[in-house]
Amino acid sequence: LTETGSTAVALAKYRPRATILAITASESTLRHLLVWRGIRPMLTDSFVGTDSVINKAIATAKEDGLVVSGDIVVAVHGTKELKPGHTNLLKMVVVPSIAEVQTKRTTLIPRTDDLLSPHLQAGRWRRTEEGRWTSDPV
């Protein structure tokens, strides 16, 4: 996600093998990014709900054949909206499969319960009254 395109240009300088999808709400930034090698600009209405904007961009990239299910996408953007030059966030997003999109379970990191479920099934872990996980002696 970019206001001015400077982060996308800085990344393109290193000529990565992967295409850089630069999502912007500015038509002038979109036109500016069209001349850079390895950058594919995409226009969006707004950056409100950055996760939804990233998910829409991934869906578009999937339709265009840039990514397939299971690929890892790196999303770079800032936490302050409408503040150019404040890129401070990097997310690694796994491209969901069609089944995951249909069930709306597109969590990027497994829940703690999912990670501990083999131990829970074996009876080694239990949750205390304070909500902490503890292990029983084996």
Side-chain angles (χ1 to χ4, degrees):
L1 306 175
T2 183
E3 292 287 335
T4 63
S6 59
T7 302
V9 169
L11 290 172
K13 170 184 167 185
Y14 297 100
R15 297 185 180 258
R17 286 183 280 162
T19 301
I20 298 168
L21 185 60
I23 306 155
T24 183
S26 166
E27 289 186 26
S28 63
T29 301
L30 178 102
R31 287 191 301 271
H32 170 74
L33 291 173
L34 285 170
V35 300
W36 288 93
R37 178 199 173 276
I39 299 177
R40 185 168 183 185
M42 181 177 129
L43 193 63
T44 186
D45 294 331
S46 73
F47 290 139
V48 176
T50 54
D51 287 336
S52 66
V53 173
I54 291 169
N55 288 336
K56 287 178 190 175
I58 289 173
T60 302
K62 198 170 179 182
E63 289 172 7
D64 294 346
L66 295 173
V67 295
V68 295
S69 297
D71 282 353
I72 296 175
V73 175
V74 178
V76 180
H77 63 92
T79 55
K80 296 181 181 180
E81 292 183 28
L82 302 173
K83 295 265 185 166
H86 285 89
T87 303
N88 61 355
L89 186 63
L90 182 137
K91 292 181 186 176
M92 295 180 71
V93 182
V94 177
V95 177
S97 67
I98 295 171
E100 289 173 330
V101 171
Q102 289 173 349
T103 60
K104 300 207 180 209
R105 177 139 191 242
T106 57
T107 52
L108 307 179
I109 300 171
R111 294 188 326 250
T112 306
D113 295 351
D114 292 341
L115 293 173
L116 294 176
S117 61
H119 298 291
L120 290 172
Q121 292 169 2
R124 293 185 216 155
W125 291 91
R126 63 181 173 80
R127 187 170 257 174
T128 63
E129 292 178 10
E130 296 86 29
R132 295 184 185 148
W133 289 99
T134 184
S135 62
D136 294 327
V138 179

